[in-house]
């Protein structure tokens, strides 16, 4: 008998896979009993039922590692709590490396994971053979054992979570399809189903491969696409038992595990095939899909060579089922940017079982408190942008995205598919100058510039890549002469109206009550004082400000501003990103170069640091901001798009007399890290406060009306020394390279990890940012009176620590007082 449909619920969850069931379970654990989960057909009938059930903890980020660890712990106790079996087997896992480069990557990854509490051990090929006697280890260069990993029965896990949710008071209704999302005044108000309507305070989209369709009902972009996903199961094989470790074989794009006395081989092929581009069949329920084994045969044969006995055994099952993947192979979680109280948890990229418990825990706290319990930016849906919902883009990108997890994760690796989404008007000029483009938020941006005759293409490695010397030359040009950066990808928002000053003052840590023409560095904070965004705000007029933020934060920053403008305020926000290009001139000769092109007075007295002035170059008028993210005398030039080409041509022509060099984003990164400038989502984020990050200078504590997050910061300040502080580190050996996530040791003990790093060509070694922690507070003496080492692939390297920037700590070069006109 079908259960009656309630007319109201506090929370409606759409989707009865492992993610939806986990969120329902965790909401009830937090005391929310008025929870309704709706499933279009039957629980687990989409993707969950045919998942492989792997529980492997080595992930790419701290947040995703914590999700996996929590999930393992939850599944271990779930059966005892609910009485529903989960099929948990702690068999461990082994990951193989077939090349020295992959072995190096794994050593780096395991060092990072250990700092997050994941146990791992490097083992030899011979030891793999002992643990997996049927495996061919002849080409294994190194291997890594994770003894706490395991596997579960996915459907049983989902049923256990569902039972636990029901025990906590949640209602679960199958055979109930959501056909619409109700909303009013920018806030979700309920759902429409094929059985009637339910009003709700919160709606959570956990619809798996249907999540994009459900998002479209709400006007919320959920960029994911289903793809074919394959595994096979052999006939019974002698010597196979349930405690065989999961064998992860990235070089062969496969994982291998025991399955009831048989062997399962699953595939993450490097060239995938999207599925359901014309829609998912209405009848889909526990379905598999037509397999294209001719296409996959080379991948199958390569993977089976790891266990040669498979060639002599029959295949009991060839299976192909759809799973959804996202454009960057990260989950989609969190609140929708444009619809209040509408949350998303989807796009698990075939990792939903291993993260399902953690996803449920995080989402439940996010829904109930408004904030996640940890920094979730890498999976936050607000990192995505509206254009990514384009079906052709999703099709083309997911051909690559499905298999990316089993490929080499080179530093600076660039996506190869679905490129050219956005190009600046200068794209062809920059290409002619030798630009090697990377992609960020869809923009084609110059990462480095090739010399004449040098291919503008990456040659990846864990050592000095082919552009290392190019970076050094660009870096020196900025420190010694002048560099030209094309930064048109930056997002630009106008906030204007009679109440613009009051509205922005409430959002920002710094004061917006500044004279017209002043540029202010500031931050947006959340309720716990964490940094939700850092940006610059320029007062263009009494009632008009320009807010500039990084391209990859566009959706997030736009939502932060729009959602905090009160309904009654005489204030509007307009996205003008495409209306303005931005060229940045940085270096001690930037002033002289601009002065040669313009009659404007660029002297320190007339145009001091942190000011914005309208200037003319040739026939064109543009806005110049005296700012630097490189730590040098410099100017950001905001140019109306129609004027961009002639302004660029004038700059390029004049540059020969001043040592001008085109510079890419890799160089901007090496310059800013030498100067210890922070980057949001790397060095600072929603769980880092300005006091911990050394950004107290950007706080106007006593401005009228205060600002969001002020009370939390006051409590932290009154408590005394912060328990963690961001510091700068420089390796004393000039040879090793740092990237990010390398463990940091203070007096031999683990104390944090590298948040961002680059080679500092002026300082002569790899430079990093990292947080140092101590439960009793981090004083200057605690930081400086200690010995530091950074671990790279298991090797420790001595490092020098600094609380002030190692490059130009007095800001003399930034202020540019002594530089010539």
């Amino acid at each position: 008998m079908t259960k009656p449909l309630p007319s109201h619920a506090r929370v409606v969850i759409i989707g009865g896979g492992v993610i939806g069931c986990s969120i329902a379970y965790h909401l009830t654990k937090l005391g929310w009993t008025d929870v309704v989960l709706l499933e279009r057909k039957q629980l687990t009938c989409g993707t969950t039922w045919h998942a492989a059930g792997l529980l492997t903890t080595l992930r790419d980020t701290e947040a995703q590692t914590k999700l996996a660890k929590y999930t393992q712990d939850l599944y271990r106790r779930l059966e005892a709590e609910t009485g529903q079996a989960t099929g948990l087997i702690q068999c461990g896992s082994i990951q193989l490396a077939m090349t020295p480069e992959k072995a190096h990557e794994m050593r780096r990854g395991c060092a990072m994971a250990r700092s997050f509490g994941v146990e791992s051990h490097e083992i030899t090929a011979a030891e793999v053979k002992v643990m997996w006697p049927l495996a061919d280890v002849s080409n294994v260069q190194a291997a890594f054992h994770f003894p706490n990993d395991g596997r579960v029965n996915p459907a049983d896990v989902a049923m256990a979570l569902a039972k636990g949710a029901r025990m906590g008071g949640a209602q679960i209704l199958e055979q109930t399809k959501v056909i619409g999302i109700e909303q009013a005044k920018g806030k979700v108000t309920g759902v429409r189903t094929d059985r009637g309507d339910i009003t709700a305070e919160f709606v959570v989209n956990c619809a798996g491969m249907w999540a994009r369709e459900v998002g479209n009902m709400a006007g919320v972009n959920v960029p994911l696409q289903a793809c074919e996903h394959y595994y096979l199961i052999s006939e019974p094989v002698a010597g196979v038992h349930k405690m065989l470790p999961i064998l992860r074989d990235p070089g062969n794009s496969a994982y291998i595990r025991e399955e009831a006395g048989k062997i399962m081989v699953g595939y993450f092929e490097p060239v995938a095939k999207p599925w359901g581009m014309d829609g998912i069949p209405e009848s889909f329920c526990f379905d598999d899909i037509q397999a294209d084994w001719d296409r996959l045969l080379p991948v199958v044969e390569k993977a089976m060579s790891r266990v040669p006995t498979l060639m002599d055994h029959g295949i009991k099952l060839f299976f192909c089922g759809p799973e959804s993947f996202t454009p960057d192979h990260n989950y989609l979680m969190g609140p929708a940017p444009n619809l209040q109280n509408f949350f998303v948890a989807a796009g698990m990229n075939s990792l939903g079982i291993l993260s399902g418990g953690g996803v449920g825990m995080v989402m439940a706290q996010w829904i109930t408190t408004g904030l996640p319990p940890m920094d979730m930016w890498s999976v936050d849906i607000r990192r995505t942008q509206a254009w990514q919902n384009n079906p052709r883009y999703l099709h083309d990108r997911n051909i690559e995205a499905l298999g990316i997890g089993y490929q080499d994760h080179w530093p600076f690796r660039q996506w190869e598919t679905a490129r050219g989404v956005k190009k600046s008007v200068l794209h062809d000029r920059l290409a002619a100058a030798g630009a090697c483009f990377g992609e960020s938020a869809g923009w084609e941006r110059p990462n480095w510039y090739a010399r004449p005759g040098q291919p503008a293409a990456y040659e990846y490695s864990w050592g000095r890549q082919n552009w290392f010397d190019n970076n050094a030359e660009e870096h020196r040009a900025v420190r010694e002469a002048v560099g030209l950066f094309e930064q048109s990808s930056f997002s630009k928002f106008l906030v204007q109206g009679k109440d613009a000053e009051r509205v922005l003052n409430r959002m920002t840590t710094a004061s917006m009550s500044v004279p017209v023409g002043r540029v202010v560095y500031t931050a947006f904070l959340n309720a716990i004082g964490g940094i939700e965004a850092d940006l610059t705000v320029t007062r263009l007029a009494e009632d008009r400000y320009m807010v500039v933020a990084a391209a990859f934060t566009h959706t997030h920053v736009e939502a932060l501003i729009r959602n905090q403008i009160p309904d009654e305020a005489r204030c509007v926000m307009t996205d003008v990103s495409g209306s303005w290009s931005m060229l940045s001139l940085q270096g001690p000769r930037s002033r002289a170069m601009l002065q040669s092109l313009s009659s404007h007075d660029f002297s320190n007295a007339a145009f001091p640091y942190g000011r914005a002035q309208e200037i003319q170059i040739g026939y064109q008028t543009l806005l110049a901001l005296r700012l630097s993210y490189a730590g040098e005398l410099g100017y950001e030039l905001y140019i109306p798009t129609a004027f961009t080409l002639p302004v660029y041509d004038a700059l390029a022509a004049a540059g020969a007399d001043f040592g001008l060099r085109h510079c890419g984003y890799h160089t901007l990164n090496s310059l800013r890290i030498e100067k210890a400038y922070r980057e949001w989502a790397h060095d600072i984020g929603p769980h880092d406060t300005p006091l911990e990050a050394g950004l107290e200078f950007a706080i106007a504590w006593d401005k009228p009306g205060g600002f969001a997050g002020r009370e939390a910061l006051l409590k932290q300040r009154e408590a005394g020394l912060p328990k963690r502080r961001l510091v700068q580190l420089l390796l004393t050996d000039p040879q090793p390279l740092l990237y990010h996530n390398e463990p940091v040791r203070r007096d031999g003990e683990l104390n944090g990890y590298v948040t961002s790093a680059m080679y500092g060509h002026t300082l002569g070694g790899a430079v990093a940012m990292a947080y140092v922690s101590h439960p009793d507070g981090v004083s200057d003496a605690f930081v400086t009176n200690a010995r530091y080492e950074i671990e790279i692939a298991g090797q420790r390297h001595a490092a020098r620590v600094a609380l002030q920037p190692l490059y130009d700590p007095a800001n003399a070069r930034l202020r540019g007082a002594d530089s010539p006109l």
Side-chain angles (χ1 to χ4, degrees), residues 62-191:
E62 179 181 16
Q64 292 183 42
T65 301
K66 287 181 176 179
L67 296 184
K69 279 179 55 62
Y70 174 89
T71 298
Q72 281 193 359
D73 293 340
L74 173 66
Y75 293 174
R76 288 190 181 100
R77 64 178 187 270
L78 198 56
E79 182 172 343
E81 177 186 338
T82 65
Q84 166 68 50
T86 62
L88 176 65
I89 300 173
Q90 188 175 317
C91 56
S93 75
I94 299 171
Q95 185 153 331
L96 306 177
M98 295 164 60
T99 65
E101 292 78 15
K102 190 65 176 180
H104 183 85
E105 175 192 323
M106 287 294 301
R107 291 181 185 115
R108 281 180 173 267
C110 289
M112 177 272 291
R114 282 194 297 273
S115 69
F116 303 149
V118 175
E119 182 181 355
S120 66
H121 309 279
E122 183 168 350
I123 59 178
T124 65
E127 289 173 304
V128 175
K129 189 69 175 177
V130 170
M131 300 171 74
W132 239 101
L134 296 175
D136 176 6
V137 298
S138 60
N139 63 353
V140 172
Q141 295 275 329
F144 302 84
H145 182 223
F146 300 83
N148 295 319
D149 286 355
R151 56 191 175 93
V152 291
N153 184 319
D156 287 347
V157 165
M159 291 302 181
L161 290 166
K163 185 175 181 180
R166 290 190 186 100
M167 291 165 62
Q171 298 184 66
I172 296 178
L173 304 176
E174 297 178 289
Q175 304 298 332
T176 306
K177 181 181 179 182
V178 172
I179 59 174
I181 306 296
E182 296 293 325
Q183 53 186 287
K185 298 181 179 180
K187 188 175 184 178
V188 74
T189 58
V191 300

Side-chain angles (χ1 to χ4, degrees), residues 9-268:
R10 192 173 188 185
V11 182
V12 169
I13 298 168
I14 304 170
V18 69
I19 301 301
C21 292
S22 181
I23 293 173
Y25 169 88
H26 283 90
L27 282 170
T28 64
K29 291 296 182 183
L30 295 177
W32 286 35
T33 57
D34 191 7
V35 176
V36 172
L37 185 150
L38 305 177
E39 165 53 47
R40 58 182 286 279
K41 295 288 186 183
Q42 296 174 248
L43 294 184
T44 79
C45 75
T47 293
T48 295
W49 74 275
H50 64 73
L54 310 185
L55 298 180
T56 54
T57 44
L58 181 64
R59 309 264 57 92
D60 293 336
T61 67
E62 179 181 16
Q64 292 183 42
T65 301
K66 287 181 176 179
L67 296 184
K69 279 179 55 62
Y70 174 89
T71 298
Q72 281 193 359
D73 293 340
L74 173 66
Y75 293 174
R76 288 190 181 100
R77 64 178 187 270
L78 198 56
E79 182 172 343
E81 177 186 338
T82 65
Q84 166 68 50
T86 62
L88 176 65
I89 300 173
Q90 188 175 317
C91 56
S93 75
I94 299 171
Q95 185 153 331
L96 306 177
M98 295 164 60
T99 65
E101 292 78 15
K102 190 65 176 180
H104 183 85
E105 175 192 323
M106 287 294 301
R107 291 181 185 115
R108 281 180 173 267
C110 289
M112 177 272 291
R114 282 194 297 273
S115 69
F116 303 149
V118 175
E119 182 181 355
S120 66
H121 309 279
E122 183 168 350
I123 59 178
T124 65
E127 289 173 304
V128 175
K129 189 69 175 177
V130 170
M131 300 171 74
W132 239 101
L134 296 175
D136 176 6
V137 298
S138 60
N139 63 353
V140 172
Q141 295 275 329
F144 302 84
H145 182 223
F146 300 83
N148 295 319
D149 286 355
R151 56 191 175 93
V152 291
N153 184 319
D156 287 347
V157 165
M159 291 302 181
L161 290 166
K163 185 175 181 180
R166 290 190 186 100
M167 291 165 62
Q171 298 184 66
I172 296 178
L173 304 176
E174 297 178 289
Q175 304 298 332
T176 306
K177 181 181 179 182
V178 172
I179 59 174
I181 306 296
E182 296 293 325
Q183 53 186 287
K185 298 181 179 180
K187 188 175 184 178
V188 74
T189 58
V191 300
R192 289 185 289 115
T193 82
D194 56 2
R195 295 177 53 208
D197 300 346
I198 306 176
T199 61
E201 298 173 40
F202 298 88
V203 174
V204 191
N205 178 2
C206 305
M209 59 185 171
W210 290 271
R212 182 168 174 267
E213 177 185 339
V214 171
N216 288 340
M217 295 177 191
V220 174
N221 294 299
V222 185
L224 54 77
Q225 176 59 48
C227 294
E228 296 179 357
H229 196 42
Y230 293 80
Y231 61 76
L232 64 80
I233 298 176
S234 73
E235 295 288 355
V237 177
V240 170
H241 56 86
K242 69 179 183 179
M243 293 308 294
L244 277 176
I246 299 160
L247 203 58
R248 300 181 72 209
D249 191 2
N252 287 324
S253 305
Y255 62 84
I256 303 168
R257 73 164 179 84
E258 182 268 352
E259 174 67 21
K262 310 171 190 68
I263 294 178
M264 173 191 283
V265 185
Y267 305 95
F268 284 86

Side-chain angles (χ1 to χ4, degrees), residues 492-495 504 536-540 544-548 576 580 623 625 638:
K492 311 158 196 82
F493 305 98
L494 287 182
V495 179
L504 279 175
T536 60
V537 181
T538 302
R539 189 164 201 168
L540 301 176
R544 187 166 73 255
Y545 294 81
M546 180 175 69
V547 178
V548 177
V576 295
W580 297 79
L623 183 68
L625 277 59
Y638 290 83

Side-chain angles (χ1 to χ4, degrees), residues 652-726:
D657 295 333
F658 298 92
L660 178 71
R661 189 179 184 101
H662 285 73
C663 299
Y665 275 83
H666 291 337
T667 293
L668 190 61
N669 199 36
S670 62
L671 292 163
R672 71 96 183 166
I673 294 177
E674 275 196 335
K675 184 59 178 166
Y677 284 154
R678 284 70 167 143
E679 182 174 358
W680 194 82
H682 290 277
D683 312 307
I684 52 178
H687 284 260
D688 308 310
T689 73
L691 303 184
E692 296 164 342
L695 298 176
E696 190 168 355
F697 70 88
I699 302 174
W701 291 101
D702 299 322
K703 65 177 175 177
F707 54 88
R710 178 175 181 271
E711 292 72 19
L713 288 191
L714 285 172
K715 288 181 181 179
Q716 186 179 40
R717 188 173 69 167
E718 290 164 2
L721 292 170
K723 292 179 171 51
R724 55 199 295 271
R725 288 175 71 180
L726 190 63

Side-chain angles (χ1 to χ4, degrees), residues 516-806:
V516 173
R518 184 66 61 85
V519 186
V520 180
Y521 171 78
T522 189
F524 293 161
L525 305 184
N526 54 36
I528 61 173
I531 302 168
E532 288 289 344
D534 77 323
L535 26 77
T536 60
V537 181
T538 302
R539 189 164 201 168
L540 301 176
E542 289 297 322
D543 62 350
R544 187 166 73 255
Y545 294 81
M546 180 175 69
V547 178
V548 177
F552 73 94
T553 68
H554 183 105
T555 302
H556 180 53
V557 170
E558 183 177 30
L560 286 171
I561 299 172
R562 195 181 302 281
N563 292 340
Q564 292 185 76
I565 298 177
D567 291 340
E568 72 281 2
R570 295 168 295 178
C571 179
V572 296
M573 182 191 70
T574 308
D575 177 9
V576 295
S577 300
S579 301
W580 297 79
S581 301
M582 199 268 267
L583 294 172
S584 181
L585 280 179
Q586 300 292 322
R589 305 206 71 191
S590 58
R591 176 186 290 159
M593 181 174 159
L594 279 178
Q595 193 67 76
S596 74
L597 292 168
S598 175
S599 60
H600 198 85
D601 185 354
F602 292 95
S603 67
N604 244 14
F607 200 157
Y609 185 80
R611 301 297 192 275
Q613 297 180 10
E614 198 172 75
I615 69 170
Q616 288 79 40
I617 292 179
Y619 303 138
Q620 288 73 39
T621 299
L622 52 140
L623 183 68
L625 277 59
R626 186 157 164 215
L627 287 178
S628 178
Y629 197 44
E632 300 291 341
L633 172 67
Y635 304 83
E636 294 180 356
L637 307 179
Y638 290 83
I639 311 163
T641 301
F643 290 168
T644 303
L645 284 170
V647 169
Y648 168 83
D649 289 342
L651 292 170
D657 295 333
F658 298 92
L660 178 71
R661 189 179 184 101
H662 285 73
C663 299
Y665 275 83
H666 291 337
T667 293
L668 190 61
N669 199 36
S670 62
L671 292 163
R672 71 96 183 166
I673 294 177
E674 275 196 335
K675 184 59 178 166
Y677 284 154
R678 284 70 167 143
E679 182 174 358
W680 194 82
H682 290 277
D683 312 307
I684 52 178
H687 284 260
D688 308 310
T689 73
L691 303 184
E692 296 164 342
L695 298 176
E696 190 168 355
F697 70 88
I699 302 174
W701 291 101
D702 299 322
K703 65 177 175 177
F707 54 88
R710 178 175 181 271
E711 292 72 19
L713 288 191
L714 285 172
K715 288 181 181 179
Q716 186 179 40
R717 188 173 69 167
E718 290 164 2
L721 292 170
K723 292 179 171 51
R724 55 199 295 271
R725 288 175 71 180
L726 190 63
V727 302
Q728 189 182 32
L729 294 157
L730 171 66
L731 292 186
T732 57
D733 183 345
Q735 293 306 311
L737 299 180
L738 298 170
Y739 299 111
H740 63 91
N741 282 348
E742 294 91 351
V744 174
R745 293 181 179 271
R746 179 187 178 276
D747 286 339
E749 300 295 324
L750 281 174
N751 195 313
Y753 59 93
V754 169
T755 55
S756 63
M758 200 77 175
Y759 197 87
H761 295 283
T762 308
L763 296 175
V767 191
M769 307 293 292
Y771 283 93
V772 172
S773 304
H774 190 261
D776 296 329
V778 180
S779 65
D780 289 3
F782 179 85
V783 172
T784 57
N785 296 339
R787 174 176 54 87
Y788 289 85
E789 297 167 303
I790 300 178
E791 186 177 343
I792 304 173
Q795 301 296 314
R796 300 184 189 183
H797 299 269
R800 172 186 169 193
V801 71
L803 285 166
Q804 297 299 316
L806 290 168

